[in-house]
Amino acid sequence: MRKVLYLFVLIGIVSCKKERVPVTPGNISIAEVVQANYKNNYTQEVSVQVGEENITISSTGLPDHKTPYWGRGHEMYEEFPGTNHANRNETMTSFNYKMTIPIYPNESKFKEETSLGPVGMAINGVPIYNDYEGGGVLQENAWSTFDASGGHPGPREDYHYHSEVAHLTVNDDNLIGFLRDGFPVYGRKDMDGTYPNDLDENGGHIGTTSDFSESIYHYHISNEAYSTSGLYVIKSGAYHGTKGTFTQ
């Protein structure tokens, strides 16, 4: 009886491992688009290295736009929008981020849920987070600390975005960045100026974009205002592909 039980457990483990194996690499390279778009116009600390199978994007994570989190007296300081205010982490610090993603991303058979921490990187090198903060979904105590670009620093003074980044996109089809599975994420609209009505449960669909003339899976910022915040979340749900690494 014990041997039979072990056999079932072993089969279950093997089955789970097989579920997580992605399908063969896609046929659309993201290398050229990544190289052309990743830059930081203020700190200049964003670089791209293309290998045989993967791309590594390095960044300090500091934004290239105004934010109150630069601190009063800084040339890039600006006041909070509306009634927003600083959180307990009033300043930002630089990191040595490295996000490694596949050159040819493809759908994974197992759709892994995004979790706390970086789920991608914006084209200016700032980490992208999902719709969770701390122990649960975003609440007013979190979004009331966002600057005008939908970002704020975490407990380690690690600046990041949760919602539509005014510095990069406002109700348009601009490229925002790439998630850890290698798929691009765009603003709320498709390149024809309409809001996509066929997004899957993870916020993406297949089609051409202003950067890709061949159809590729890509995410969109949600066009539904989040809760009572009036903000538009960049990412919720699972990854479409297999996530790469994000170190610091």
Side-chain angles (χ1 to χ4, degrees), residues 74-215:
H74 193 281
E75 61 179 327
M76 295 286 277
Y77 174 85
E78 71 174 1
E79 295 289 343
F80 281 96
T83 59
N84 284 17
H85 54 84
N87 59 19
R88 289 179 297 176
N89 318 293
E90 298 182 1
T91 58
M92 309 175 293
T93 190
S94 63
F95 287 81
N96 184 27
Y97 293 127
K98 292 185 183 296
M99 183 175 77
T100 300
I101 54 179
I103 294 176
Y104 294 93
N106 208 343
E107 180 180 7
S108 174
K109 293 180 180 179
F110 174 80
K111 302 296 189 294
E112 180 180 352
E113 290 292 324
T114 57
S115 57
L116 294 176
V119 301
M121 185 184 287
I123 57 176
N124 61 356
V126 173
I128 295 172
Y129 280 36
N130 65 8
D131 56 341
Y132 276 71
E133 177 82 2
V137 295
L138 284 173
Q139 301 290 338
E140 186 173 359
N141 62 347
W143 72 64
S144 63
T145 68
F146 289 176
D147 60 19
S149 286
H152 66 174
R156 296 177 301 112
E157 300 184 325
D158 47 337
Y159 185 81
H160 55 271
Y161 300 129
H162 286 279
S163 62
E164 185 177 57
V165 184
H167 174 67
L168 299 175
T169 177
V170 178
N171 196 24
D172 53 36
D173 67 331
N174 289 355
L175 175 67
I176 308 307
F178 285 76
L179 295 195
R180 289 175 58 177
D181 57 3
F183 288 109
V185 54
Y186 287 85
R188 287 187 272 153
K189 292 182 177 179
D190 270 326
M191 66 175 179
D192 63 0
T194 64
Y195 299 108
N197 59 9
D198 61 344
L199 299 181
D200 62 24
E201 61 184 354
N202 299 313
H205 66 169
I206 296 174
T208 58
T209 74
S210 55
D211 303 287
F212 295 95
S213 57
E214 293 183 73
S215 292

Side-chain angles (χ1 to χ4, degrees), residues 215-235:
S215 292
I216 185 173
Y217 182 90
H218 57 279
Y219 302 98
H220 282 277
I221 292 176
S222 172
N223 189 43
E224 294 184 8
Y226 183 80
S227 184
T228 59
S229 68
L231 301 172
Y232 301 95
V233 169
I234 298 176
K235 174 63 182 151

Side-chain angles (χ1 to χ4, degrees), residues 47-64:
S47 62
V48 177
Q49 289 185 316
V50 179
E52 293 184 2
E53 298 181 351
N54 298 305
I55 302 170
T56 298
I57 307 164
S58 302
S59 169
T60 64
L62 293 174
D64 58 347

